[in-house]
Amino acid sequence: MNTQLGELLARSTALLLDFDGPVCDIFAGYPAPRIAAEMVELLHRLDVDVPAEVAQETDPLEVLRWAGSNGEPATVRAVEDALCAAELRAAASSEPTPYGREVIVAAKQAGLPVAIVSNNSAPAVASYLAAHRLAGHVAAVVGRAHAEPGRMKPNPDPILSAASALAADPGRCVLVGDSLSDIEGAAAAGVPVIGYANKPHKHRKFEAAGADAVIGSMRDVAALLLG
């Protein structure tokens, strides 16, 4: 696996990183289920009829996706604004992923430009990077398109936008992500992808989904970048 991973990194001219997972646990101090419940409550206050499966959803991004598919534009904007505010608050109590910082610093030292491409909001990502003295190491941040949840990964648009921001050929980039939406979005964008299996059950899922390599720790990437 290290050989395969090393070959991926060696032929890459840019490194794309998902945010929540490879860089940090954004919801460590302000849990995702709590935010999802607050978003559902907002929908109720807006007189939106929320089905039971959505009312029980623990992922705020999935609540936003549902609103985008079922709500009026004003409703989607209200839910989006609430999530942006929650993410900005969450970023202040997030927990860094082990070796996530080292990957970003090592990439810059190796002359490999870094972009963050995330389904979280760009202000939340930027806030985290500034607080952890990483803003100067990241060349671009591509966050969630405001009130357009259909453009979130696995839609390839944000991944292609990140490659474009680095003036990089998508096929010569490599994306590190910890979800199937990252794997699928990268495949649609023509970008090689490393699956970060931060939970044991993800390893086989990522392999089955076609990840070019699968790692269990960001240390694997950092070590190869450091050479």
Side-chain angles (χ1 to χ4, degrees), residues 120-135:
N120 300 120
S121 65
V125 176
S127 174
Y128 175 89
L129 295 176
H132 292 265
R133 304 186 308 282
L134 286 169

Side-chain angles (χ1 to χ4, degrees), residues 10 38 42 71 89 95 109 118 155 179 199 218:
E38 290 169 352
L42 171 60
R89 176 181 171 187
E95 291 185 357
Q109 291 175 345
S118 176
N155 188 316
S179 70
K199 296 178 182 177
M218 294 298 287

Side-chain angles (χ1 to χ4, degrees), residues 170-186:
R172 297 292 303 281
C173 297
V174 64
L175 169 69
V176 183
D178 75 325
S179 70
L180 288 175
S181 66
D182 293 312
I183 309 299
E184 295 165 5

